Amino acid sequence: MAALFGEDLLQRGYRRDRAVLAHIAVHPGASTPHVARVVGASERVVARNLDRLTDDGLLVLVMDGATPALRSYRLAS
């Protein structure tokens, strides 16, 4: 039973990754708070999705200044 619960959490994470990636593809330059509102998850959860997608080379972090609030994401080329 615990294995099924773990698998469900893993699948939910993958679905959110896909939703985040799809949103960034249509809205390059989107910020973490913006993506979180759209996908219906907390900023903390979406930040983990964005970090994972960036680490995997699918997204690029864009720093428009020294302030972390100005960070946004776009698809990697």
Side-chain angles (χ1 to χ4, degrees):
M1 182 78 154
L4 291 176
F5 179 72
E7 183 67 23
D8 184 51
L9 288 176
L10 183 63
Q11 290 302 317
R12 190 176 313 148
Y14 289 146
R15 283 191 301 271
R16 192 175 308 104
D17 278 355
R18 288 192 305 265
V20 167
L21 189 60
H23 185 74
I24 297 292
V26 175
H27 302 281
S31 65
T32 302
H34 173 84
V35 176
R37 280 191 306 274
V38 170
V39 301
S42 72
E43 287 184 36
R44 185 175 180 175
V45 168
V46 169
R48 283 195 304 261
N49 294 108
L50 290 165
D51 286 344
R52 185 171 37 250
L53 292 166
T54 301
D55 290 346
D56 290 346
L58 298 170
L59 294 178
V60 174
L61 174 63
V62 179
M63 299 287 283
D64 292 331
T67 308
L70 298 178
R71 297 186 316 166
S72 62
Y73 295 84
R74 64 172 175 77
L75 291 179
S77 25

